[in-house]
Structures are given as C-alpha cells and as structure tokens.
Amino acid sequence: MPTSPRPPRRSPLARAARLGIALTGAAALAIGLAPAAGAADTGGSGTDKSDNIEHVANLPKPEGFDSTSAYNTDLAFTGDYAIDGNYNGFAVYDISEPEEPELVTTVLCPGGQGDVSVSGDLLYYSVDYPRESADCGAAESTPADADAFEGMRVFDISDIESPEYVAAVPTACGSHTNSLVQGEETDYIYVSSYAPSDRYPNCQPPHDQISVIEVPKDAPEDAAVVSEPVLFPDGGNPPGTPSRETSGCHDITVYAEKDIAAGACMGDGVIIDISDPVNPEVVETVRDDNFAFWHSATFTNKGDGVIFTDELGGGAGATCNAETGQERGADAIFGLKAKPAKGDRPAKAELSFKSYFKIDRFQEDTENCVAHNGSLIPVKGKNYFVQAWYQGGVSVIDFNDLENPEEIAYFDRGPFTEDLSGSWSAYYYNGHIYSSEIQQGFDVLKVTDKRLKGAEDVEFHELNPQNQPRY
C-alpha cells in the first residue's frame, strides 16, 4: 500500500495505525505485524447466513482494481446500473437482471477513497489523497506540494459505457466523502474531509468546515467551491475525550424534503439546517463516550429519528467480539424533533438517545468488523435498515421501535486474512441488496421476508443513499 501522507484520512489500516490501535490477524499482516496465533487464511470460505436471505450473484473485482490494496468502497445507482467506487477509480455494472449482473466499463483514475454520487448524467468521485495533477493518470504526490490535487472529480456519464472526465475541483483536505443537495439546474456537493496538519498547505488546521461545490448541470465544467462553512465555530469535540477530536466531518446524509442533514463528524453527531444549501448551519449536537468515531448517519423514514454509526478501530479493528461489547463499534439510535426555519424563527432540532444496536455474531480476531455504511429499505412508513459491517457481513435491522432494534436477516462470509476485507457498503435498490465487498467484488443479495414485501413496489430511477427521500 502506498505511503500515507495523512494517515487518518486514508485506508482503515492507516487510520488505525495513526491512532495506535492494536491490530491482529489480517490487519497485522497488512502492515507488517505478527499475525494472531492460529490465524488461518480461509479466503472467505465458511459463509453463514439467515434462512431468509440468498446470495444470488458475485462479480470479482475487475482488472485494474484486483489488487488487495485497491479497496472497493461506496455505491451509487442510476437506472439499470450500479456504480462501485474503488481506490483506483470506479466500475459500472448492468443490474437490469440482478441475478446476472454484468460489468459495463471501468474507469481507472486513482485517488483514494472513491466515494461516488450520481445526479442525472453526472457522476461525482471523491479524491482523498494528493496527486501530482488532476489528470487521471497522475502519480501520487507529497501532501507538502501546494500544487497537488485532491478534491472532487466530475464525470459525464450520459454515455454510460464511456464516461467522460469533465472537471476537477480541489477542496481543502481533499474529499473523504461527498453528499448531494440536488436541484433542477444546480447540484450542491457537500465535501467532508478531516485530519488537518500545519505541514500541509492544502489542509490547514483547525479545519472545522466542509466545502460546498456548486455544479451547473448544463455546464459541469464550471463546477467550483462556493463556500466553506464553519460547522464548529467553538472547535467541536475537544481532545482528551473518549471520542476523536473534531477536525472536520466524515460523512453527511441529506433529507432534502425537510431541509435538514445529519452529520457524522469524528467526535460529534450533528443535525444541520440546509434550507440555504450554500450556508448550512449546525442546529443540534450530541456526543457519546461510547463512540470513538462518528462515521455515518441515516434518517428514519419520517425523519423523526437518526441512526449514527461508530467506526471504532478505524475500520481495521476486530471489534465484533465479547471483549469490545455491544455498545462500542455500534449503531446509536436517536429520536429527532426538528422544526424548519420560518420567518424570523431559526431552525431547531433535538436529538434524544434511544438505544444501541450491534450484531451479536462474534467474529474471529482476524476479521476487521465494525458498524459501517447502510441505507433505509423503502417500506412505506416503516424503518428497516440494511448495513455493512466489514467482515461482519451484511445485516438487515428492524428499528421500528427505536428502543428495541433487532436483526432480522444477515449474510456473513468467513475470514479473509490477506488484507482488510468485508462489506464496505450495503444498500437496497429495486428489490435487491447490493454490497461493495472490499476484496471479493460486487455482491447481490435477495431477502425474502414478509416485513419487507412493500419495498418491492418502490422503483428508483436513481439512488444516492446519502441523499435520502421519504418513502
């Protein structure tokens, strides 16, 4: 794996190493430590699953993405296509027949993280560590180079078989993730990044901000940063607490219908008023001593609750075990009361803690496992959540009772010990669950559960899980 310029903003392994997290098994092997005693390389064999879920298809990572250091990452969907981000670029899959997906094309454009979002004919791709230039073939650069590029890449995917690279927008500290506020003529991209350093001219502390990029849909080549709102004017969660010091956000989920967003920002979980999309403002903050790193967020269907996830161990730790327990490396579920701004009255929000959820299928000490990316399953008026847990697999959770969530389906491969592995993102789209497996490719799952039957009536034409509609 290439040397990390800013370890906390790179791979889960690098983040864990920077944080001093003890690693065993696969993680230890990948950074040159001794493996755990008795660790075996099973290559992903020994699959376990519930009776109501089937693994219907898998496509291995394609050429150019097939090294263990080229991690598969996030997913976005448009029409009959799934777009799978990767540290080396992205792949497009035809999912018109979900049980027989086909690779359509790959775009080799290394930049790290590879978070993806789609909007009509445009695709947005996050670049999280510096390159010598914005060109797709540019070599990795030193972060001390003020001319280095990291930020957002914009592609025209009107010809899905031949995407065209149309714009590159540099942002402070690059782009770890991106989230959209979509309009008819203009998109706004909320760029989340973190871990500043005095040594890096393009990533100066305190970095209590996000970047907002405006993209004219009819002229995406003119995309540009239009604001850098400071979300934490008081500095956010301070150092010396159980949670990470806040120096930026990791991810933001937008609920446009209600003009709010939920931000997972290292040491803080926040609700953001986005009624003015260029100038978002935090209106509620929560902290939790059981949370190490506020990683991502998903609203309930009605927007009256939020699931926040904790990426304990930076994604590299084996934290799904009895020793870690059920309240760390978990989901935290909050009730939400939110009032939009009206006239001279500012927006208000209140979060109230309800419960934790964590898979109780303990994993081996070679398996990196922690709460990660997921999405709401579109059952009208109900709250079902599909979620990735790295090597903990894919879990389907019923959280209609916010105080008593329960797992109702799961798919879990056996250990993969050559490097980090597991499901990075798992999302529901038009009748199936799609999982971006870090090492083992593109997975398609089918859940047969009467509680989820209503989701089959919902047909998406586009889905970015971090841009959440109401069903």
Side-chain angles (χ1 to χ4, degrees):
M1 184 179 297
T3 302
S4 171
R6 281 190 295 274
R9 297 198 301 110
R10 288 290 304 278
S11 73
L13 284 174
R15 290 202 301 271
R18 173 69 174 266
L19 294 173
I21 296 166
L23 305 177
T24 60
L29 288 168
I31 60 173
L33 303 177
D41 179 10
T42 63
S45 62
T47 296
D48 183 25
K49 69 178 188 66
S50 58
D51 291 339
N52 58 349
I53 195 168
E54 296 296 330
H55 184 212
V56 299
N58 170 265
L59 290 177
K61 292 194 294 185
E63 183 179 358
F65 300 160
D66 47 359
S67 70
T68 56
S69 61
Y71 296 166
N72 271 352
T73 60
D74 209 11
L75 292 162
F77 304 87
T78 179
D80 288 334
Y81 300 97
I83 299 167
D84 195 355
N86 182 282
Y87 273 45
N88 281 356
F90 61 90
V92 179
Y93 296 98
D94 183 336
I95 54 171
S96 56
E97 297 183 25
E99 297 188 7
E100 297 182 359
E102 296 182 354
L103 178 66
V104 175
T105 191
T106 58
V107 174
L108 284 168
C109 200
Q113 192 65 16
D115 203 37
V116 289
S117 297
V118 293
S119 181
D121 289 336
L122 300 176
L123 180 141
Y124 307 121
Y125 177 95
S126 290
V127 178
D128 195 33
Y129 55 92
R131 317 302 292 182
E132 290 182 350
S133 74
D135 296 341
C136 271
E140 188 172 354
S141 176
T142 64
D145 180 1
D147 295 325
F149 169 77
E150 55 182 336
M152 292 302 307
R153 289 180 168 136
V154 182
F155 293 85
D156 183 331
I157 56 170
S158 54
D159 179 355
I160 198 73
E161 295 183 4
S162 184
E164 180 185 359
Y165 186 16
V166 295
V169 184
T171 59
C173 296
S175 173
H176 194 73
T177 63
N178 69 85
S179 309
L180 299 185
V181 179
Q182 292 171 285
E184 291 185 7
E185 298 180 353
T186 304
D187 284 337
Y188 295 98
I189 308 173
Y190 288 170
V191 177
S192 296
S193 56
Y194 58 97
S197 170
D198 287 328
R199 294 177 294 163
Y200 308 139
N202 300 325
C203 188
Q204 291 289 297
H207 194 68
D208 295 321
Q209 66 184 57
I210 62 172
S211 297
V212 180
I213 297 174
E214 182 179 77
V215 185
K217 290 186 176 182
D218 60 354
E221 66 276 9
D222 294 333
V225 173
V226 292
S227 67
E228 294 180 325
V230 174
L231 298 185
F232 303 98
D234 64 351
N237 188 58
T241 66
S243 298
R244 279 286 300 275
E245 176 187 2
T246 297
S247 59
C249 287
H250 180 275
D251 207 357
I252 293 171
T253 293
V254 168
Y255 198 139
E257 180 180 316
K258 291 182 174 288
D259 280 337
I260 56 174
C265 301
M266 302 181 71
D268 294 284
V270 300
I271 301 298
I272 306 168
D273 172 20
I274 60 169
S275 54
D276 177 356
V278 177
N279 297 291
E281 182 180 2
V282 171
V283 293
E284 169 69 328
T285 301
V286 289
R287 294 171 184 164
D288 185 334
D289 286 348
N290 281 326
F291 261 45
F293 188 93
W294 295 74
H295 176 274
S296 53
T298 301
F299 288 98
T300 58
N301 194 5
K302 296 179 180 178
D304 58 0
V306 183
I307 291 180
F308 288 101
T309 69
D310 173 23
E311 196 184 43
L312 173 69
T319 68
C320 296
N321 51 40
E323 180 182 0
T324 304
Q326 295 303 101
E327 295 184 351
R328 300 175 62 240
D331 298 331
I333 302 174
F334 288 80
L336 172 64
K337 294 180 180 179
K339 292 183 178 180
K342 186 175 182 179
D344 295 332
R345 186 190 72 192
K348 294 182 179 181
E350 179 182 350
L351 289 165
S352 56
F353 176 79
K354 299 297 183 183
S355 64
Y356 294 110
F357 173 84
K358 188 175 181 181
I359 58 173
D360 58 7
R361 293 170 284 104
F362 293 154
Q363 305 295 304
E364 301 293 333
D365 64 2
T366 60
E367 294 180 281
N368 56 295
C369 175
V370 74
H372 215 240
N373 293 348
S375 72
L376 207 64
I377 297 176
V379 179
K380 183 178 179 180
K382 299 293 185 179
N383 297 314
Y384 298 101
F385 185 54
V386 58
Q387 184 174 10
W389 292 80
Y390 286 122
Q391 288 206 64
V394 175
S395 177
V396 180
I397 304 158
D398 175 344
F399 70 113
N400 288 291
D401 180 351
L402 301 185
E403 296 182 350
N404 294 286
E406 62 173 334
E407 182 176 74
I408 61 173
Y410 67 91
F411 171 79
D412 184 358
R413 282 188 173 94
F416 181 97
T417 59
E418 295 176 20
D419 200 327
L420 293 186
S421 190
S423 179
W424 180 291
S425 300
Y427 303 132
Y428 183 97
Y429 183 75
N430 293 351
H432 289 76
I433 291 168
Y434 297 90
S435 170
S436 177
E437 220 284 356
I438 294 172
Q439 302 294 353
Q440 300 184 70
F442 180 71
D443 283 323
V444 186
L445 304 170
K446 178 70 175 179
V447 180
T448 54
D449 189 295
K450 63 181 181 181
R451 288 166 287 194
L452 307 179
K453 188 71 175 177
E456 297 179 2
D457 298 328
V458 178
E459 182 177 355
F460 293 100
H461 299 289
E462 181 178 284
L463 178 66
N464 299 296
Q466 290 76 37
N467 189 353
Q468 191 173 324
R470 177 172 177 172
Y471 307 116

